[in-house]
């Protein structure tokens, strides 16, 4: 019997998860077409001179047991002490290459989460806490305004027509202006008053100041850690050598099962048959792939370009091809030390500040967030005892001023901002640097997105097309949600389902959210 041909567009978390599920059934011939020369998409890990960069920072935490099981099938959880624990206890020394020779295996580590806001050259807890330090840092006047603003927001709720309304209803206007307005505008390139409230409803739907306070008070009595809001969790798992390691192992596993992964194949044309199903996938190189089923994680904008105006309605085509995106730039800086000191009670190697990532709320810099890869996993850093490896994150739009800057000028700007914020003393602290650019990292929630139902309805008419992942659904999914869409698409193909409702509803549940 001839096998059914499944073409998967994209080897990111969603595409790989689809292939993993379908590979359990030997009646499918599975081919993955990947635009880039690597797997993992924006969840990949970039290795720069044995210093590894996690593009965007990807903690492994999920409330979905199926996704959790997949992670641990690929990569077991380490039960032994981690490298930084050993170093703190002076039980082991690193070899010259920064590798612990006793732990060459690839495993998941348990990590302690610390993420804070950097504002007026001071650290604030994220989510905002009611600790005395918060009020001391804010000063009397800001504290009073924030308190009265929050009280006012509990009595007078705005109609939530924008993301600004959403934030003010949960935190009050002064706290919104202090800790959310600037960062959000950096991220999306437009003011929160022009962004759909859908973004907040999806990403921070369960979080408010009152919930942050309640969480702190009830924390000692909680038994089920999965019941906590995702933005309030304090522990997560993380692959020893970064998230890309998991996807590399998953890709190798799939190849052993007969799945074909073809790199640097850009899909630019989809041909439908008389039944409105996609029968052929064509790439820019001119290769043609017959398809019984298509799973797409490519940006919906590009998907409609591939379908073309003649194979879609005029309205859906115009809306889809004008969907907005934000692009992403990371500067990797290798430093000898930081100027800013660890004033917390958390033990770290070399007394480094304990944060995994830091939201930059300073209005006079373009930087949006900082990653400290030493704290994600010391194995990410070639020499964690003597260097600090950081990722400085910027949000841009393709062809804008930031995107078009050359590497040297951009890196010099990033270093200047680090000095200006008091993070490093001078340019002399920089031992090495690199820049990474990622297109369409963030599907945006404004513009033609307001009519996304028209786009979705057009896609749902194609019975053998299943849209998965962050860009495949134009939804700001995390890794676990993206992988879940891939697994569900695999289920649907095996079961012959063409109703995509449940697939689109992943990450729409009320109790789950994420803030990144």
């Amino acid at each position: 019997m001839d096998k059914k041909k499944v073409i998967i567009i994209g080897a990111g978390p969603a595409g790989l998860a689809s292939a993993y599920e379908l590979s359990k059934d030997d009646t499918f011939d599975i081919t993955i077409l990947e635009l880039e020369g690597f797997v993992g998409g924006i969840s990949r890990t970039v290795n720069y001179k044995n210093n590894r960069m996690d593009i965007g920072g990807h903690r492994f935490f999920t409330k979905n047991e199926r996704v959790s099981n997949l992670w641990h099938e690929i990569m077991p959880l380490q039960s032994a002490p981690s490298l930084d624990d050993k170093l703190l206890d002076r039980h082991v020394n690193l070899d010259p290459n920064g590798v612990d020779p006793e732990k060459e295996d690839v495993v998941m580590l348990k990590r302690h989460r610390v993420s804070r806001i950097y504002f007026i050259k001071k650290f604030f807890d994220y989510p905002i806490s009611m600790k005395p330090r918060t009020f001391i840092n804010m000063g009397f006047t800001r504290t009073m305004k924030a308190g009265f603003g929050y009280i006012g927001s509990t009595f007078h709720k705005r109609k939530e027509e924008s993301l600004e309304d959403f934030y003010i209803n949960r935190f009050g206007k002064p706290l919104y202006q202090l800790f959310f307005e600037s960062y959000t505008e950096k991220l999306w390139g437009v003011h929160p008053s022009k962004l759909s409230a859908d973004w907040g409803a999806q990403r921070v739907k369960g979080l408010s100041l009152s919930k942050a306070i309640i969480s702190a008070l009830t924390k000692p009595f909680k038994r089920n850690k999965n019941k906590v809001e995702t933005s309030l969790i304090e522990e997560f798992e993380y692959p020893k050598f970064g998230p890309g390691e998991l996807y590399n192992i998953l890709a190798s596993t799939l190849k052993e099962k007969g799945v074909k992964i073809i790199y640097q194949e850009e899909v630019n044309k989809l041909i439908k048959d008389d039944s409105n199903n996609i029968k052929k996938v064509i790439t820019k190189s001119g290769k043609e792939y017959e398809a019984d089923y298509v799973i797409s994680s490519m940006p919906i904008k590009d998907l409609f370009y591939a379908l073309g105006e003649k194979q879609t309605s005029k309205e859906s085509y115009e809306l889809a091809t004008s969907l907005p995106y934000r692009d992403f730039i990371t500067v990797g800086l290798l430093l000898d030390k930081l100027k800013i000191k660890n004033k917390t009670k958390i033990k770290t190697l070399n007394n480094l500040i304990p944060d995994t990532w830091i939201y930059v709320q300073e209005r006079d810099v373009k930087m949006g967030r900082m990653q400290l890869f030493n704290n994600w996993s010391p194995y990410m850093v070639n020499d964690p005892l003597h260097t600090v490896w950081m990722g400085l994150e910027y949000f841009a739009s393709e062809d804008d001023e930031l995107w078009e800057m050359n590497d040297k000028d951009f890196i010099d700007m990033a270093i200047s901002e680090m000095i200006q914020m008091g993070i490093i003393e001078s340019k002399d602290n920089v031992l090495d640097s690199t820049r990474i650019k990622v297109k369409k990292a963030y599907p945006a929630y404004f513009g033609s997105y307001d009519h996304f139902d028209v786009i979705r309805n057009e896609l749902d008419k194609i019975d053998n097309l299943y849209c998965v992942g962050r860009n495949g659904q134009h939804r700001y999914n995390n890794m676990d949600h993206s992988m879940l869409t891939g697994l569900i698409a695999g289920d649907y193909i095996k079961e012959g389902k063409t109703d995509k409702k449940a697939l689109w509803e992943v990450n729409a549940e009320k109790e789950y959210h994420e803030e990144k």
Side-chain angles (χ1 to χ4, degrees):
M1 185 175 67
D2 290 338
K3 292 185 176 184
K4 294 289 186 181
K5 293 180 172 59
V6 181
I7 301 299
I8 300 175
I9 304 173
L16 294 174
S18 293
Y20 187 74
E21 184 58 39
L22 288 167
S23 68
K24 298 174 183 178
D25 188 328
D26 62 6
T27 63
F28 296 104
D29 179 0
I30 306 163
T31 300
I32 303 176
L33 304 177
E34 170 53 50
L35 170 65
E36 304 288 356
F38 49 80
V39 299
I42 63 169
S43 299
R44 75 189 189 276
T45 301
V46 175
N47 189 332
Y48 178 74
K49 300 179 182 178
N50 287 328
N51 291 299
R52 292 172 170 82
M53 298 176 66
D54 180 349
I55 306 299
H58 294 85
R59 57 182 172 153
F60 284 67
F61 175 85
T62 185
K63 295 183 179 182
N64 186 276
E65 187 175 357
R66 187 177 181 187
V67 173
S68 179
N69 290 341
L70 190 159
W71 287 344
H72 294 132
E73 285 172 22
I74 301 300
M75 189 174 287
L77 183 63
Q78 177 177 280
S79 56
S82 63
L83 176 59
D84 46 350
D85 293 332
K86 285 186 170 186
L87 287 167
L88 284 170
D89 293 336
R90 301 180 185 279
H91 286 166
V92 70
N93 292 315
L94 290 174
D95 73 9
N97 294 318
V99 178
D100 176 1
E102 296 180 11
K103 292 267 170 215
E104 289 291 349
D105 53 320
V106 180
V107 291
M108 285 276 201
L109 306 176
K110 279 281 189 182
R111 309 306 296 156
H112 182 74
R113 170 257 176 91
V114 179
S115 61
R116 293 182 289 176
I117 295 169
Y118 194 67
F119 174 57
I120 54 174
K121 295 187 177 180
K122 296 173 183 176
F123 282 109
F124 293 83
D125 288 342
Y126 184 85
I128 300 301
S129 72
M130 294 296 101
K131 295 176 182 177
R133 176 52 54 186
T134 301
F135 303 122
I136 294 169
N137 285 350
M138 285 176 63
F140 179 78
T141 302
R142 288 193 188 97
T143 298
M144 294 303 292
K145 285 182 178 179
F148 284 118
Y150 174 67
I151 292 170
S153 73
T154 63
F155 291 103
H156 305 288
K157 295 294 184 185
R158 293 180 169 217
K159 183 180 178 182
E160 292 187 356
E161 296 179 335
S162 71
L163 184 58
E164 181 174 67
D165 299 327
F166 181 93
Y167 276 130
I168 291 173
N169 279 346
R170 283 153 185 79
F171 296 93
K173 191 169 185 178
L175 278 176
Y176 153 73
Q177 290 175 329
L178 285 173
F179 295 115
F180 296 97
E181 185 178 28
S182 177
Y183 177 81
T184 303
E185 189 165 9
K186 286 180 188 177
L187 173 56
W188 296 113
V190 297
H191 192 266
S193 61
K194 295 180 172 62
L195 282 167
S196 168
D198 284 1
W199 188 87
Q202 181 191 334
R203 301 294 291 186
V204 290
K205 54 173 124 354
L207 184 61
S208 66
L209 188 57
S210 60
K211 283 203 174 183
I213 296 169
I214 292 168
S215 176
L217 293 174
T218 59
K219 174 184 163 185
F221 310 103
K222 286 188 182 249
R223 292 184 180 180
N224 186 351
K225 302 299 182 184
N226 278 341
K227 292 296 183 183
V228 73
E229 294 293 344
T230 313
S231 284
L232 302 174
I233 68 162
E234 296 183 346
E235 192 176 65
F236 59 91
E237 296 175 13
Y238 193 74
K240 181 175 174 179
F241 297 108
E245 203 70 28
L246 182 137
Y247 298 111
N248 289 337
I249 295 171
L250 180 52
S252 295
T253 301
L254 292 172
K255 288 178 182 177
E256 290 172 3
K257 293 185 173 188
V259 175
K260 296 178 284 294
I261 303 178
I262 304 175
Y263 295 100
Q264 296 178 325
E265 277 283 58
E266 180 180 354
V267 172
N268 68 348
K269 195 168 185 180
L270 301 170
I271 306 298
K272 294 199 289 187
D273 61 19
D274 294 338
S275 302
N276 203 42
N277 284 324
I278 297 171
K279 66 177 182 179
K280 194 175 291 186
V281 177
I282 302 174
T283 65
K284 197 172 182 178
S285 66
K287 293 181 181 177
E288 298 185 0
Y289 300 86
E290 293 183 2
D292 293 298
Y293 303 97
V294 176
I295 297 174
S296 174
S297 66
M298 70 191 295
I300 286 179
K301 183 175 190 173
D302 297 335
L303 177 64
F304 269 77
Y305 280 134
L307 285 165
E309 295 180 78
K310 294 182 179 179
Q311 295 188 114
T312 57
S313 71
K314 181 179 179 181
E315 183 183 17
S316 67
Y317 184 85
E318 289 178 352
L319 288 169
T321 54
S322 58
L323 279 171
Y325 297 83
R326 284 291 272 173
D327 306 303
F328 185 70
I329 303 169
T330 297
V331 171
L333 282 191
L334 187 66
L335 306 165
D336 59 357
K337 62 182 177 180
L338 299 182
K339 178 181 179 181
I340 198 162
K341 304 301 180 184
N342 179 15
K343 296 181 180 180
T344 72
K345 295 180 181 179
I346 300 171
K347 283 186 176 182
T348 60
L349 289 178
N350 308 323
N351 203 33
L352 182 68
I353 54 175
D355 307 74
T356 41
W357 69 91
I358 299 165
Y359 296 100
V360 178
Q361 185 65 16
E362 304 288 21
R363 296 173 185 269
D364 56 352
V365 300
K366 293 182 171 66
M367 192 186 305
R369 195 168 57 182
M370 296 183 281
Q371 305 278 348
L372 283 92
F373 299 120
N374 300 57
N375 295 333
W376 283 97
S377 166
Y379 297 92
M380 298 278 282
V381 188
N382 188 48
D383 184 3
L385 285 177
H386 304 103
T387 60
V388 182
W389 178 229
M390 295 187 69
L392 315 179
E393 301 179 354
Y394 294 81
F395 312 109
S397 292
E398 201 173 336
D399 301 326
D400 71 8
E401 181 184 0
L402 285 178
W403 189 262
E404 291 298 319
M405 284 177 71
N406 64 52
D407 286 350
K408 182 184 182 303
D409 289 345
F410 198 100
I411 291 169
D412 286 346
M413 177 193 72
I415 293 170
S416 296
E417 291 190 345
M418 291 284 279
I419 297 168
Q420 178 182 335
M421 291 189 294
I423 306 297
I424 61 175
E425 190 74 48
S426 72
K427 195 170 184 178
D428 292 339
N429 295 124
V430 180
L431 305 175
D432 204 351
S433 60
T434 187
R435 179 166 77 143
I436 306 293
K437 297 164 72 174
V438 181
K439 293 181 181 179
K440 294 185 174 67
Y442 301 101
Y445 286 57
F446 58 90
S448 63
Y449 173 80
D450 292 340
H451 305 284
F452 190 76
D453 57 327
V454 175
I455 298 169
R456 175 182 158 180
N457 289 338
E458 185 73 19
L459 294 171
D460 283 347
K461 292 175 185 176
I462 308 173
D463 284 345
N464 72 336
L465 173 66
Y466 300 83
C467 293
V468 299
R470 176 179 284 195
N471 274 329
Q473 294 192 329
H474 203 85
R475 181 172 292 159
Y476 196 179
N477 287 330
N478 299 312
M479 284 188 304
D480 62 327
H481 287 127
S482 290
M483 295 188 84
L484 184 57
T485 61
L487 294 172
I488 291 173
D491 293 340
Y492 279 11
I493 288 174
K494 289 193 291 186
E495 296 164 11
K497 288 185 178 180
T498 56
D499 182 355
K500 320 288 174 45
K501 183 179 179 183
L503 186 60
W504 288 106
E505 287 180 348
V506 172
N507 195 18
E509 62 272 29
K510 302 248 182 236
E511 72 275 8
Y512 200 115
H513 75 94
E514 172 65 280
E515 86 285 352
K516 287 207 308 278

